[in-house]
């Protein structure tokens, strides 16, 4: 979705400048040009967790996600790209 949005911004740069003004349009185009190369090789992942019936809902460390600086057991940081 974001790749399509960014490509549309770039393709319609003149219209963005006309309708939004120079500064907002330039900010959007800068974002598009910075982010487009980073999107290649990424994929969206949706994770749904379900508590088993009878399991008590007690706050514990497993109820929280790890921070962005935490590495997984395979040595890859969560923000790294997925090999295709």
């Amino acid at each position: 979705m974001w790749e399509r949005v960014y490509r549309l911004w770039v393709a319609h740069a003149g219209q963005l400048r006309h309708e939004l003004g120079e500064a907002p349009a330039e900010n959007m185009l800068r974002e598009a040009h910075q982010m487009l190369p980073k999107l290649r090789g990424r994929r969206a992942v949706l994770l749904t967790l379900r508590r088993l019936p009878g399991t008590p809902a007690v706050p514990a460390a497993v109820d929280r996600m790890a921070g962005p600086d935490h590495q997984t057991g395979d040595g890859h940081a969560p923000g790294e790209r997925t090999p295709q």
Side-chain angles (χ1 to χ4, degrees):
M1 175 192 82
W2 282 108
E3 182 175 3
R4 179 169 165 75
V5 168
Y6 290 142
R7 290 194 186 285
L8 286 169
W9 288 358
V10 171
H12 298 279
Q15 187 176 355
L16 285 174
R17 287 185 181 96
H18 175 74
E19 292 184 16
L20 302 176
E22 191 67 29
E26 284 305 314
N27 287 338
M28 291 170 69
L29 293 168
R30 185 178 316 108
E31 178 182 336
H33 288 294
Q34 288 175 347
M35 295 305 294
L36 271 169
K38 296 177 183 178
L39 293 176
R40 194 173 302 272
R42 287 189 164 189
R43 63 181 177 181
V45 177
L46 173 65
L47 175 66
T48 304
L49 301 176
R50 185 178 63 157
R51 190 179 305 277
L52 295 174
T55 304
V58 177
V62 295
D63 291 334
R64 294 185 302 272
M65 292 182 65
D69 58 341
H70 177 74
Q71 288 197 351
T72 61
D74 63 2
H76 291 90
E80 290 183 4
R81 292 184 179 180
T82 304
Q84 297 295 316

